[in-house]
Amino acid sequence: MLERVAHLLPSELTAVLARMPAKAQEGLEEIRIRDNRPLEVWTLGVSTFVSSSGSLSDNPEGAYKPSFELCRKLLERMTNHSVYAMEEELRRGFITVEGGHRIGLAGRTVLEEGRVRGIRDIGGFNVRIARDVTGVAGQSLPQLIDRSNRTIASTLIIGAPRQGKTTYIRDLARAISYGRWQSPQALGWSGRKVGIVDERSEIAACVRGVPTFDVGPRTDVMDACPKAEGMMMMIRSMSPEVLIVDEIGRDEDVEAIREAVRAGVSVVATAHAGEWEEAAARPALKRLLQEGAFARGVVLRRTITGLSVKVVDLSAAAAAASIATGSAARAAGHSAASPREPTVTARAGDSHAP
Amino acid sequence: MLLKLIGASLILFAGTLIGFLQAARYADRPKQIRQLAGALQRLETEIVFGQTPLPDALQHTASNAGQPVGRLFQAAADELSAGEGRSFRECWDHAMRRAWPTTSMRTPELTVTLRLGSILGMSDKDDQLKHLRLAAVQLKAEEDAARDDQAKYEKMSRSLGLLLAALVVILMV
C-alpha cells in the first residue's frame, strides 16, 4: 500500500515507513503525521507508532517525530506548491489527490464572519489510503433489482463508519453502469445511466472533475457538490436513471430524494448507523422509510472473513406494516422502519476495504 | 616606438571599455529592477486571480517577462519541475543565486527576492497578495536608490575608465 502514496510523501518519511515490516506496509490504511509529535499509522486494523528504525510499538515514546520542515514539504507536495489554489479544499478540511487518496488536515482555522474560510498553520495530516475493491456488491446485487423496471430498486445502505459503505456503493455504481447485473433474471439488461453526487469526493475521488476510480462507462459525477442541490442538478441536467449519494441524513436530503423518486429515478443512498433500528430512528430517514421511498435496505458490517451484507426487503415490510395498521394496531405505525430480520446474507470482498 | 604606440592605444581602449561596461551596469540596474517588479506583478495576477498552480505560474511569468529577468523565473520553474523532493524555498533560493550574476542587479534586490521564497505558494491568496505587494514596495525603493547611483556614477565611471587608462599609459612612458 505504501508505494501507492510514496510519491506524495517527503523522501525522509517514505524511508521511515519503508522500514516497517512488509505485512504492516501491505495493510497500511492511514498515515497520521503530526508536527513534532509521534508518527502514527493505522495498519491491519490497529493504531501503532513507528520509530525511525521502522519498528512498531504501542508506546509513543521513541517514535519518529516528523519535523516542521517535513510537514511543510508534505503540504507543498500535496498542494503542488500552491496552497492558494486549494481554498475550497482547505475550507472542507481535506484534499483528494490522484488515486483517490484523501489527506485530512488539521490546524488553526481562519474565520471570516464567523465561518471557516480555511486552515492556516497546518500541523496535522491524515493520509487515508484509498483502495478500490471490485466485486463487493456483486453477490447482493440480484436481491436489489427491480424486475418490472429492469433497474435497481431504491436502496438505503447503512453501516457504522469504516465498514465499507463507500466501497460498496462505488462497486454498485460500477456494476449498474456496466450492466453487470449478476442475475439470470436480468439477462440481456443493459447498463443504466448513473449519476453520483459525491459531496466528499470519496465515491469517485475526482481530480479536476475526472473520476480516478472506475465508476463505470455510463456514470456522471457531480463532485464536491452539496447532496440535495447536486441531486436536483443531476436530475435536471444529466437525466440519470440511478442516483447515488453518500451519507444522507439532513432535511434537505429528504426533500431531494422524494423529488428524485417522484421523477422515477432509483436512489441508492448510504447513512451512518450501526443497526437498522438506529437508522430508522433518525428523523430524516424515518420519514423517508415511512413514505416508502426505499424498496430495499442493506446493512453492512466488516467481519474477519470479509464484508457481511444483509439485504432487507422493505417493500414487503411496508406491505406487512400497512396490513398491521389496517387491523387497528396503531403501535405498529412505525414498523415500516423496523422490518423483520434480514432475508438474505451474502459475503464478499476485502476485509480491509475502507 | 610603434610597438609602444600600439600598446598605449590598447590600454586606452581596454580602460574605456571597462568604464563603459561599468556605466552600463549602473544604467541597467534600475531598468532590470523595474522589469523584476513587473514580472512579480504578473505572478501576482496568476496567483491571486488565476489561482494557477505555482509551477505553471512561474512558467507563464518567465515566458512573458523580458530578458534577463525571464531567465530568473525560468530557472526557478525548471528547478521546481526537476523537484527531487526539495521544497519550493530551496528551489527558489538555488535558482535565484545561480541566475543572479547574469543580471545587473545587486544584493539588496536579491535579498528582497529570496525573502519571497519562503512565502510563495505557502498561504492563502490574501496573504500571497500582501507579501507580493510588500516585495513590490521594497523593489521600488531599491529602484530609486539604483537611479540615484546611476545619476552619480554612470558618467563618472565612463570617464574614470578612460582617465585611469591614460594614467597607466603616462606612467609607462
Side-chain angles (χ1 to χ4, degrees):
Chain A
M1 289 302 121
L2 180 60
E3 63 278 11
R4 294 203 201 171
V5 288
H7 65 281
L8 289 171
L9 308 173
S11 44
E12 301 97 295
L13 189 61
T14 316
V16 171
L17 292 170
R19 283 183 220 124
M20 291 193 308
K23 210 171 155 207
Q25 282 185 39
E26 198 40 50
L28 205 56
E29 290 171 50
E30 285 183 358
I31 307 167
R32 307 179 74 102
I33 302 137
R34 302 178 176 99
D35 192 344
N36 260 321
R37 279 182 291 160
L39 174 66
E40 183 194 355
V41 295
W42 268 84
T43 176
L44 306 166
V46 290
S47 148
T48 144
F49 295 99
V50 186
S51 74
S52 43
S53 62
S55 59
L56 304 177
S57 151
D58 272 347
N59 190 355
E61 308 274 328
Y64 173 73
K65 289 183 179 168
S67 65
F68 172 71
E69 272 308 305
L70 188 129
C71 289
R72 232 183 110 111
K73 271 190 191 166
L74 185 66
L75 182 64
E76 276 198 36
R77 284 248 183 147
M78 283 164 187
T79 57
N80 188 16
H81 310 280
S82 319
V83 175
Y84 55 81
M86 295 278 169
E87 280 185 9
E88 197 47 51
E89 284 86 345
L90 290 182
R91 203 194 330 265
R92 289 189 295 169
F94 63 84
I95 302 171
T96 305
V97 296
E98 224 151 318
H101 313 298
R102 196 158 187 242
I103 297 112
L105 305 168
R108 193 167 71 84
T109 55
V110 184
L111 297 183
E112 194 172 69
E113 289 168 10
R115 293 172 63 87
V116 175
R117 211 195 62 192
I119 308 176
R120 181 175 287 181
D121 306 327
I122 297 170
F125 302 83
N126 177 14
V127 182
R128 293 179 62 180
I129 301 171
R131 56 192 75 195
D132 185 19
V133 188
T134 310
V136 281
Q139 281 192 26
S140 43
L141 185 56
Q143 287 131 40
L144 301 177
I145 55 179
D146 174 354
R147 244 169 278 165
S148 55
N149 293 319
R150 299 184 144 224
T151 181
I152 186 166
S154 286
T155 305
L156 178 65
I157 298 156
I158 65 154
R162 305 174 53 85
Q163 299 299 311
K165 291 191 296 294
T166 307
T167 314
Y168 186 81
I169 53 169
R170 186 188 305 125
D171 196 46
L172 213 51
R174 181 165 40 215
I176 299 165
S177 187
Y178 274 108
R180 296 175 188 150
W181 298 98
Q182 315 263 0
S183 163
Q185 296 155 334
L187 222 57
W189 296 10
S190 72
R192 291 288 172 183
K193 287 183 279 178
V194 178
I196 298 177
V197 182
D198 199 1
E199 183 167 359
R200 305 183 309 149
S201 301
E202 271 193 323
I203 309 176
C206 289
V207 173
R208 286 183 288 279
V210 181
T212 55
F213 284 131
D214 176 15
V215 285
R218 295 180 179 86
T219 303
D220 299 298
V221 183
M222 200 68 89
D223 188 33
C225 182
K227 283 174 289 264
E229 222 170 308
M231 281 190 264
M232 298 316 293
M233 283 165 74
M234 270 288 183
I235 294 170
R236 278 198 297 269
S237 60
M238 304 306 287
S239 70
E241 291 163 305
V242 179
L243 262 179
I244 293 194
V245 286
D246 213 354
E247 290 179 17
I248 58 162
R250 280 183 311 200
D251 286 342
E252 52 266 38
D253 302 342
V254 173
E255 196 45 53
I257 289 173
R258 264 187 208 147
E259 203 61 43
V261 170
R262 249 179 258 148
V265 179
S266 306
V267 178
V268 178
T270 69
H272 271 306
E275 300 294 331
W276 189 257
E277 286 70 28
E278 264 174 59
R282 289 173 64 179
L285 298 179
K286 190 156 124 187
R287 258 185 293 156
L288 281 171
L289 289 169
Q290 277 173 351
E291 285 168 20
F294 293 106
R296 300 282 190 283
V298 172
V299 183
L300 296 181
R301 184 162 300 126
R302 258 211 245 185
T303 60
I304 312 153
T305 49
L307 189 68
S308 124
V309 183
K310 285 196 277 184
V311 179
V312 186
D313 191 341
L314 295 173
S315 48
S322 66
I323 295 163
T325 29
S327 60
R330 285 235 160 243
H334 296 330
S335 67
S338 51
R340 296 158 304 164
E341 260 308 285
T343 45
V344 199
T345 302
R347 272 168 206 281
D350 183 339
S351 63
H352 303 310
Chain B
M1 187 63 209
L2 186 67
L3 214 60
K4 259 188 183 171
L5 259 179
I6 291 171
S9 54
L10 269 179
I11 288 171
L12 277 177
F13 179 71
T16 321
L17 201 67
I18 290 170
F20 270 74
L21 283 178
Q22 196 58 40
R25 275 184 86 87
Y26 278 114
D28 282 346
R29 188 169 161 228
K31 262 190 235 157
Q32 291 182 0
I33 294 177
R34 196 178 324 151
Q35 219 178 24
L36 179 64
L40 285 178
Q41 175 100 48
R42 162 108 201 169
L43 189 65
E44 178 189 306
T45 314
E46 292 274 356
I47 288 176
V48 177
F49 296 103
Q51 302 208 356
T52 320
L54 199 53
D56 297 340
L58 287 174
Q59 197 74 49
H60 295 169
T61 309
S63 53
N64 278 289
Q67 297 309 341
V69 166
R71 263 202 302 275
L72 294 175
F73 286 89
Q74 189 61 52
D78 291 347
E79 293 257 345
L80 198 57
S81 59
E84 301 302 322
R86 285 183 303 161
S87 68
F88 173 74
R89 190 174 53 193
E90 287 163 352
C91 295
W92 179 261
D93 241 60
H94 193 242
M96 289 300 154
R97 284 185 199 282
R98 209 181 35 151
W100 208 259
T102 67
T103 71
S104 302
M105 290 184 283
R106 300 210 172 147
T107 325
E109 302 85 273
L110 180 62
T111 315
V112 174
T113 316
L114 289 182
R115 210 172 292 147
L116 276 179
S118 58
I119 287 135
L120 279 181
M122 289 306 291
S123 56
D124 58 21
K125 56 183 187 200
D126 293 353
D127 203 54
Q128 299 280 298
L129 185 66
K130 260 183 242 156
H131 282 103
L132 282 162
R133 289 273 156 88
L134 176 64
V137 171
Q138 288 169 329
L139 283 179
K140 181 83 186 94
E142 291 311 327
E143 188 196 333
D144 290 344
R147 228 170 259 294
D148 288 348
D149 282 356
Q150 182 190 4
K152 262 190 253 168
Y153 303 120
E154 189 188 4
K155 272 197 190 131
M156 191 193 79
S157 51
R158 213 175 286 160
S159 21
L160 204 65
L162 181 67
L163 290 176
L164 280 177
L167 181 70
V168 171
V169 170
I170 290 164
L171 285 177
M172 271 168 43
V173 174

